[in-house]
Amino acid sequence: AQKITQTQPGMFVQEKEAVTLDCTYDTSDQSYGLFWYKQPSSGEMIFLIYQGSYDEQNATEGRYSLNFQKARKSANLVISASQLGDSAMYFCAMREGRTGGGADGLTFGKGTHLIIQP
Amino acid sequence: EAGVVQSPRYKIIEKKQPVAFWCNPISGHNTLYWYRQNLGQGPELLIRYENEEAVDDSQLPKDRFSAERLKGVDSTLKIQPAELGDSAVYLCASSPRARTTDGTQYFGPGTRLTVL
């Protein structure tokens, strides 16, 4: 079974509209972290936002917010007031547990290709 | 603060040739990761280092891939010999000590490898 599922291969959104990118995850760990990364055509993975499994409030970073629904195991990314520069691939990722002295590798979804139209 | 540096950015080789990728993590970051990203997919972890120790290399194809992180700073990932299926983007990432942080990983620009 996939640990990270992103069901939207591609999305077209009008500039200035809000957009929600879906992500569901699967883990039996109690402690885990959820991340969203943006990958423009240049290829670099840009960190956007983080949500810890014990965080009670949804994470926010500027125009980005994470709609965390623990019981549903979903961690959707919301981008408010989309801009042309938001066009990129967006990846949801999970870090399960935490080993002593280090951070486990991330498990990524397959991504959503977001295109903002003027 | 300088980000993760990788070189080369692009590499084209013929199959059966060796190739090496270099990564310099963010200063002070103890944990270093190598990922491989196939076309149309998310990155997949190859190996994770804590300082100079490889603590998770379970996904590294050890018959042809090797990695090292001398002195716990820079790292090199090597493929010998390369196969057609190794064509991908190889990403390096680093993070500070996880005991005091959320373990956010910061990625370099990647090396795009094409094997002909």
Side-chain angles (χ1 to χ4, degrees), chain A residues 25-36:
Chain A
Y25 60 92
D26 182 25
T27 182
S28 56
D29 285 356
Q30 296 300 309
S31 175
Y32 53 89
L34 297 159
F35 302 79
W36 277 92

Side-chain angles (χ1 to χ4, degrees), chain B:
Chain B
E1 180 180 83
V4 176
V5 179
Q6 289 187 250
S7 69
R9 290 294 313 276
Y10 304 92
K11 189 73 176 180
I12 301 174
I13 61 172
E14 293 190 346
K15 63 181 180 181
K16 300 184 181 180
Q17 294 298 307
V19 64
F21 315 123
W22 176 81
C23 173
N24 178 248
I26 293 172
S27 177
H29 282 195
N30 301 90
T31 311
L32 183 146
Y33 312 78
W34 283 101
Y35 289 84
R36 177 169 61 187
Q37 185 176 20
N38 293 315
L39 189 64
Q41 303 292 319
E44 295 178 326
L45 180 70
L46 290 174
I47 189 168
R48 169 168 67 97
Y49 280 93
E50 290 294 335
N51 298 305
E52 59 275 351
E53 182 184 0
V55 296
D56 182 1
D57 62 355
S58 58
Q59 301 303 312
L60 190 72
K62 298 182 183 60
D63 57 337
R64 297 182 300 106
F65 286 66
S66 64
E68 61 182 9
R69 191 184 183 196
L70 300 176
K71 300 182 180 178
V73 181
D74 296 357
S75 178
T76 302
L77 178 69
K78 298 178 181 178
I79 308 175
Q80 182 171 10
E83 297 178 352
L84 295 177
D86 295 331
S87 294
V89 175
Y90 291 84
L91 294 163
C92 179
S94 70
S95 69
R97 289 190 65 84
R99 286 188 185 280
T100 58
T101 71
D102 53 39
T104 296
Q105 298 176 25
Y106 299 91
F107 285 79
T111 297
R112 183 177 297 276
L113 173 67
T114 302
V115 182
L116 303 176

Side-chain angles (χ1 to χ4, degrees), chain A residues 5 17 25 48 55 57 66 70 81 94 108 110 114 118:
Chain A
T5 302
E17 289 185 350
Y25 60 92
L48 295 178
D55 295 341
Q57 294 203 346
L66 199 152
K70 196 170 182 177
M94 176 172 63
F108 286 82
K110 293 187 176 182
L114 176 64

